[in-house]
Amino acid sequence: KRVFIKDIAHYLLPPNQQKASIAPSAGTTAEPGNPTVLPLDILRKFQWTFLIRHPRRSIPSYYRCTIPPLDEVTGFRNFSASEAGYDELRRLFDFLIRERVVDEKDLMVVDADDLLDDPEGVIRAYCAHVGLDFTDAMLNWSDEDTKLAQEKFAKWNGFHNDALCSTSLKPRDKAHKKVITRESEEAEWLSKYGEKGLKEIRECVDANVKDYEYLKKFAIR
């Protein structure tokens, strides 16, 4: 039986590239060069998958959760660029490759856009990578499953509403594949979030694109 754990990489690495030290609860021996708070012997116990999303989509999505009216639901009222996590994810990725925790020839990087465009294709490819049998239940779930997920994610109200109200994962509408330019996305952000929002989103997106594009090169197809 496999246990899947999904979490955010920057919770394992101190923010702003600060020097890391092993968490007292995980060990006492210093590990120079380890950017995380977990010792290598613990990191080696996992089979790692890296889930990425273009910052032009993830950052505005997060931003809207921190402003009215959604902030009343999420409880998040301040946008923090340090929550983006791309730098931390890239450094964790490189560290795990360097220490041979993950196999450079068999990396598991999943791009959210690829997954949404071709759910079955990406999940089948992922299953092949990790040695699981693909089943239709990976794309379709029952009302009982949805209810359970809603209960488990109640703490994060407002962040996962679309997923928590769904019963399946189908290819998204092709309208999402429209050509996006810097001008068009900024016009959209300005109309939705105003001048302040546009400035904060633009700066955060630009700061993280290179790390995203680096990881994107390894995405499974």
Side-chain angles (χ1 to χ4, degrees):
K1 186 175 182 179
R2 299 282 187 93
V3 176
F4 282 79
I5 302 173
K6 179 180 179 295
D7 215 326
I8 303 172
H10 71 252
Y11 291 151
L12 293 179
L13 287 75
N16 304 316
Q17 298 195 9
Q18 297 176 48
K19 184 178 179 180
S21 58
I22 302 301
S25 59
T28 57
T29 304
E31 294 188 357
N34 184 345
T36 80
V37 297
L38 294 178
L40 261 173
D41 62 341
I42 290 181
L43 296 175
R44 292 188 190 280
K45 293 180 179 180
F46 298 92
Q47 186 173 20
W48 293 83
T49 298
F50 303 87
L51 181 61
I52 60 174
R53 188 184 186 192
H54 199 295
R56 70 157 57 102
R57 294 186 175 86
S58 64
I59 302 305
S61 178
Y62 166 50
Y63 191 89
R64 66 185 285 269
C65 291
T66 67
I67 61 172
L70 202 51
D71 61 341
E72 290 296 328
V73 178
T74 64
F76 282 65
R77 293 179 171 81
N78 295 292
F79 173 76
S80 175
S82 65
E83 291 278 333
Y86 289 86
D87 167 70
E88 290 83 0
L89 186 61
R90 177 176 178 170
R91 288 191 289 125
L92 174 62
F93 178 83
D94 285 342
F95 175 69
L96 295 179
I97 290 176
R98 186 168 64 249
E99 295 297 329
R100 299 185 179 180
V101 175
V102 297
D103 184 355
E104 190 171 4
K105 296 180 180 179
D106 191 30
L107 297 170
M108 288 176 285
V109 179
V110 177
D111 188 294
D113 282 318
D114 295 336
L115 179 62
L116 292 173
D117 288 337
D118 182 16
E120 182 171 341
V122 171
I123 292 177
R124 282 186 179 277
Y126 180 78
C127 287
H129 272 263
V130 299
L132 288 174
D133 293 328
F134 172 83
T135 70
D136 182 67
M138 296 175 179
L139 297 174
N140 299 279
W141 41 92
S142 66
D143 291 339
E144 184 179 345
D145 293 330
T146 299
K147 182 180 179 181
L148 177 62
Q150 290 172 344
E151 292 173 355
K152 297 299 183 182
F153 280 86
K155 177 182 178 181
W156 302 104
N157 192 21
F159 284 97
H160 311 288
N161 288 3
D162 289 346
L164 293 176
C165 293
S166 67
T167 57
S168 64
L169 182 58
K170 294 181 172 62
R172 62 183 175 183
D173 191 284
K174 291 183 179 180
H176 284 276
K177 289 191 174 183
K178 64 181 179 181
V179 176
I180 299 175
T181 65
R182 190 178 182 91
E183 291 73 20
S184 66
E185 66 186 7
E186 288 190 354
E188 179 180 349
W189 299 340
L190 178 62
S191 68
K192 290 182 176 179
Y193 310 116
E195 290 281 358
K196 179 175 180 292
L198 167 60
K199 182 176 183 297
E200 291 183 318
I201 292 171
R202 178 80 276 162
E203 290 178 353
C204 191
V205 169
D206 288 350
N208 290 284
V209 166
K210 285 186 178 180
D211 290 327
Y212 162 79
E213 291 178 342
Y214 171 78
L215 293 166
K216 172 68 175 179
K217 294 185 299 184
F218 304 98
I220 61 175
R221 304 296 183 190

